[in-house]
Amino acid sequence: MTSARTRERLISRLRESGITDERVLEAIRATPRHLFVDEALSHQAYDDTALPIGHGQTISQPWVVARMTELLIEQAIPEKVLEVGTGCGYQTAVLAAFARQVCSVERIRPLQDAARLRLRELGLANRVQLRHADGGFGWSSAAPFDGILVTCARPDIPEELLAQLAEGGRLVMPVGDRQQRLTVVDRHGNELVSRALDPVRFVPFQRGVQ
Ligand code: SAH
């Protein structure tokens, strides 16, 4: 159920649903999604669906992970990336296939602990730094970031995140209330250029830590 054939079916599925960046498809192919979900759900790990990871949260649908990554690296591969919402760490692992340094923030401690173990087992500990905090404040001591990817939804983009976006950098985030659009913001000097793209459904951005 986690065979090469099952994984290949997911790649075909992503192509059919519009993912065209071969570098992203290769990163998804190389990332063992079954290791990021509970063993009882591993037979569904290569379906193109979100799955529960506990604490009321979900591992994002592969299409969403692929699409957000594709948007993040569209113009240039970012060297340093901030991720808000580590969850199980799957998107973190996909980002680590590209960025030299991934700084990822999660507000729910047990999710972060589990993600840390998995990322270590996959040999990604040297590229990934994890922090237990409210990601709405970004990670100021590690800023600026060439790329910022937010995996939980809010009607507005936190000012602190925009302030931590490097010159020429790009932020990708689901923006909206119950219905959201994937939104891309590019920084050109003091100017921020924003575009709302695909409709998506993400778990909500929540304040504080737990
Ligand atoms: N990329 C993750 C998605 C997990 S769902 C994955 O593929 O598994 C979104 C995550 O964002 C949840 O784990 C949730 O706890 C976290 N989150 C929500 N609000 C947050 C905040 N303010 N700061 C940090 N993490 C947050």
Side-chain angles (χ1 to χ4, degrees), residues 33 36 51 53-61 65 68 83-92 104-109 111-112 118 131-137 149-154 202-210:
R33 192 170 184 255
F36 290 85
L51 295 168
I53 56 171
H55 306 271
Q57 308 303 320
T58 54
I59 177 172
S60 302
Q61 180 193 352
V65 172
M68 290 183 94
E83 177 187 37
V84 175
T86 315
C88 67
Y90 176 68
Q91 169 84 71
T92 322
S104 185
V105 185
E106 171 58 54
R107 64 180 288 280
I108 301 178
R109 172 81 80 183
L111 289 180
Q112 190 203 33
R118 292 187 190 103
R131 185 183 219 188
H132 180 230
D134 179 341
F137 301 102
L149 194 145
V150 184
T151 71
C152 39
R154 225 172 96 149
F202 273 78
V203 295
F205 185 107
Q206 291 174 305
R207 287 169 205 270
V209 293
Q210 168 179 325

